[in-house]
């Protein structure tokens, strides 16, 4: 009976040791998975930042181009209004050709040929 008790105590120790080893393996594997998920998270965040930056740059360029075209249109409008107020018919007719060309240029800036 004494030998059986000793064997049971030895077996209990072995089972306890195996349990601790399994817990360590679970912890190690969990840490590896957590590290991989964190690395993927960083990569995804970096990709999102890159896409957002590129889109913002494109929108900024488009806004700047639109502001330039708007200024050109306002300049044209002011010129036409001034010409109509103080210009003679001959002066207005001469400037008409210039204005048509300016408007074509502005229109091409707004709607470039693809």
């Amino acid at each position: 009976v004494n030998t059986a008790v000793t064997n049971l105590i030895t077996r209990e120790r072995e089972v306890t040791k195996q349990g601790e080893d399994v817990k360590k393996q679970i912890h190690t594997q969990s840490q590896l998975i957590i590290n991989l998920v964190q690395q993927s998270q960083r990569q995804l965040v970096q990709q999102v930042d890159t896409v957002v930056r590129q889109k913002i740059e494109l929108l900024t360029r488009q806004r700047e181009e639109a502001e330039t075209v708007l200024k050109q249109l306002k300049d044209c409008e002011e010129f036409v209004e001034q010409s109509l107020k103080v210009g003679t018919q001959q002066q207005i007719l001469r400037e008409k050709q210039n204005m048509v060309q300016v408007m074509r240029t502005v229109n091409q800036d707004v709607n470039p040929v693809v």
Side-chain angles (χ1 to χ4, degrees):
V1 174
N2 209 9
T3 306
V5 170
T6 304
N7 287 341
L8 288 173
I9 291 172
T10 302
R11 183 69 184 132
E12 284 177 357
R13 288 181 185 148
E14 288 173 357
V15 168
T16 302
K17 173 76 169 110
Q18 286 176 349
E20 290 173 5
D21 289 345
V22 168
K23 288 178 185 178
K24 285 180 183 176
Q25 288 176 352
I26 290 171
H27 178 73
T28 301
Q29 291 299 317
S30 297
Q31 282 304 117
L32 288 174
I33 292 171
I34 289 169
N35 290 342
L36 288 173
V37 168
Q38 288 174 335
Q39 181 182 6
S40 293
Q41 177 189 14
R42 286 188 297 273
Q43 289 172 344
L44 289 171
V45 167
Q46 185 178 27
Q47 289 174 358
V48 167
D49 288 343
T50 299
V51 168
V52 167
R53 187 187 79 251
Q54 290 172 343
K55 287 185 176 187
I56 293 294
E57 288 173 358
L58 176 63
L59 290 170
T60 299
R61 282 194 308 271
Q62 289 174 340
R63 178 185 48 80
E64 289 170 351
E65 290 170 4
E67 288 172 346
T68 299
V69 168
L70 180 61
K71 182 182 179 329
Q72 290 174 341
L73 289 172
K74 285 182 179 183
D75 290 347
C76 287
E77 179 185 29
E78 289 174 12
F79 179 80
V80 168
E81 287 176 356
Q82 189 63 28
S83 293
L84 291 174
K85 288 179 185 175
V86 296
T88 65
Q89 284 186 341
Q90 287 83 13
Q91 289 172 328
I92 293 171
L93 290 175
R94 275 183 278 164
E95 292 300 324
K96 178 183 175 185
Q97 289 179 334
N98 292 337
M99 292 309 298
V100 168
Q101 184 57 39
V102 169
M103 292 306 293
R104 282 188 187 129
T105 303
V106 169
N107 192 31
Q108 287 175 351
D109 288 344
V110 173
N111 301 311
V113 178
V114 179

